[in-house]
Amino acid sequence: MIEVKGLEKKFGDLQVLNGIDETIEKGEKVVIIGPSGSGKSTFLRCLNLLEQPTGGEIWFEGEQINAPKCNVNLLRRKMGMVFQHFNLFPHLTVLQNITLAPVKLKLQTKEQANENGMRLLRRIGLEDKADTYPKMLSGGQKQRIAIVRALAMNPDVLLFDEPTSALDPEMVGEVLELMKELAEDGMTMVVVTHEMGFAREVGTRVLFMDGGNIVEQGTPGEFFANPQNPRLKDFLSKVL
Amino acid sequence: MVEALQRGMEDFARRFYQNLIFEDRWLYLLKGLGTTLSIAFLAILIGTVIGFALALCRISKSRILKGISGVYINVLRGVPLVTQLLIIYLVVFGSVNIPKYWVAVIAFGLNSGAYVAEIMRAGIQAVDKGQTEAGRSLGLSSAQTMISIILPQAIKNVLPTYTSEFIVLIKETAIVGYIALEDLTKVADIIRSRTWDAFFPLITAALVYLVITTVLAALLRKLERRLAVSDRG
């Protein structure tokens, strides 16, 4: 589904990604872990071109997305993204946050989008918040709404950029729970996170990034039980 | 003592009549006020359109657009407005017959555009970058993101500064007398030259300005409080 070949990203003189090769299949739940500055967020943001790669190729559903002729806006409809800081639109109600893109892009009528939006809100038990503004919500509620906002576009893959890092500890559970449900529904997911429990429980594959490279990967079982790379051993000994 | 007071009051009433009532001079002042306000109003409209376009150029990726808008803003903010007004009247439109009123509207509009541009640029850039990323990640184009997500928040950011720019503009129009346009200040000065009384017409004009700017400033404060309330959680 997603194929990455020799992906490089430089910010000025700083080389953040050193030629990454990786293939993500439909239905996989890939969890990316690593120390800060290892390039894991940059890697994720390259996948939907929020960062423009400075080298290499990214293919998505048979199309090279970092080729000049690729329509980035069409591509992004199929790749939802969830951010660390939620990035809900503060001037819009919760329901409007969810329906804005489908309606503006003429994928759904206003009625269809509202109906779909309410269905999504019911699913996360927040239908009573439809007409309130994001500032009235807790962090956990905001992030769950940000997730269903991405879902409203019916994406083929969801990218999560540290979705629980900005949350109070007691809010982390509800967000992870929703992500777990999505995983069980078969959604393809790429998740950058520090939640090792989530990686172990939900991930089908775990990648460890360091210094702009994927230095080790494997199924959660072998990855956590039997790490090979000394950097990974060191990292796991600190976070587990 | 009482007699002196009485004489003083009679004198005051006579001068009041001379300067404001006789020959419908209050109507003349009112007409001047109309000129003042309509120039300021039309200028802020033109300034908003120009300023918005310039602000978009300033934040665009194109070096050329950035450069052109930067030069425009620098020049129009770096030259005294009176000088600009005279240049537009005597040099740019020197050989064309355009009513002075419209010369003033254009001059103030162009100048106000430079200030509005900086206000808008700051307002747009104050919106968190994550908002753009969220919009774009949903598949919205950069124009759709700007219109539906960034601008509504930016406008809320700049509304107070924008309103105070309008208040400044109302006061600055007082220089249109330089091209013999009869705004509030010029009318007051004309009345002074007829009655040989500087106090009444000029103080009246000053009070009118003061009332208008005070009322606008009060409305502005009310607006700011309202916006602050909706920002609170």
Side-chain angles (χ1 to χ4, degrees), chain B residues 96-214:
Chain B
V96 200
N97 196 9
I98 285 188
K100 284 179 288 195
Y101 177 81
W102 292 106
V103 171
V105 167
I106 291 167
F108 281 94
L110 291 175
N111 183 265
S112 158
Y115 286 91
V116 171
E118 286 298 274
I119 295 171
M120 293 237 186
R121 182 190 56 74
I124 290 170
Q125 287 179 339
V127 177
D128 181 35
K129 211 166 159 275
Q131 293 289 311
T132 308
E133 292 186 346
R136 297 306 304 275
S137 78
L138 288 165
L140 297 174
S141 69
S142 66
Q144 286 169 324
T145 305
M146 183 53 89
I147 291 166
S148 305
I149 298 168
I150 307 304
L151 281 183
Q153 299 181 57
I155 287 169
K156 192 173 153 181
N157 288 345
V158 303
L159 218 48
T161 336
Y162 182 77
T163 316
S164 62
E165 163 66 14
F166 182 57
I167 295 176
V168 169
L169 201 54
I170 290 174
K171 290 183 292 176
E172 280 188 338
T173 56
I175 60 167
V176 295
Y178 271 88
I179 60 170
L181 202 57
E182 295 181 0
D183 73 317
L184 181 56
T185 300
K186 184 69 182 175
V187 166
D189 195 44
I190 290 172
I191 293 174
R192 177 198 58 81
S193 69
R194 302 245 174 92
T195 59
W196 295 86
D197 186 346
F199 180 85
F200 261 91
L202 290 176
I203 295 295
T204 305
L207 286 175
V208 171
Y209 280 116
L210 195 59
V211 167
I212 289 170
T213 53
T214 307

Side-chain angles (χ1 to χ4, degrees), chain A residues 45 76 88 91 104 135, chain B residues 130-131 133 136 148 153 230:
Chain A
R45 289 162 57 85
R76 287 184 179 137
L88 291 181
H91 62 299
K104 281 273 176 259
K135 61 172 187 280
Chain B
Q131 293 289 311
E133 292 186 346
R136 297 306 304 275
S148 305
Q153 299 181 57
S230 70

Side-chain angles (χ1 to χ4, degrees), chain A residues 22-36:
Chain A
E22 187 55 57
T23 303
I24 294 164
E25 301 294 344
K26 191 167 167 31
E28 273 198 293
K29 295 99 184 60
V30 176
V31 179
I32 306 172
I33 63 169
S36 47

Side-chain angles (χ1 to χ4, degrees), chain B residues 16-26:
Chain B
F16 184 87
Y17 177 82
Q18 261 292 314
N19 284 288
L20 298 178
I21 312 293
F22 184 64
E23 287 182 340
D24 281 343
R25 281 182 175 145
W26 63 276

Side-chain angles (χ1 to χ4, degrees), chain B residues 8-85:
Chain B
M9 275 172 66
E10 269 167 23
D11 182 49
F12 186 88
R14 187 184 52 76
R15 282 168 67 192
F16 184 87
Y17 177 82
Q18 261 292 314
N19 284 288
L20 298 178
I21 312 293
F22 184 64
E23 287 182 340
D24 281 343
R25 281 182 175 145
W26 63 276
L27 212 62
Y28 192 23
L29 279 166
L30 207 61
K31 232 179 112 195
L33 175 63
T35 305
T36 292
L37 290 179
S38 66
I39 289 175
F41 186 71
L42 291 171
I44 195 88
L45 287 185
I46 295 173
T48 304
V49 174
I50 294 176
F52 182 54
L54 286 172
L56 290 183
C57 291
R58 285 296 278 166
I59 58 174
S60 78
K61 289 199 180 92
S62 155
R63 275 206 191 143
I64 300 168
L65 289 179
K66 251 187 191 158
I68 293 172
S69 52
V71 168
Y72 180 101
I73 291 167
N74 189 31
V75 168
L76 274 91
R77 295 203 308 176
V79 175
L81 193 44
V82 188
T83 319
Q84 287 176 38
L85 180 67

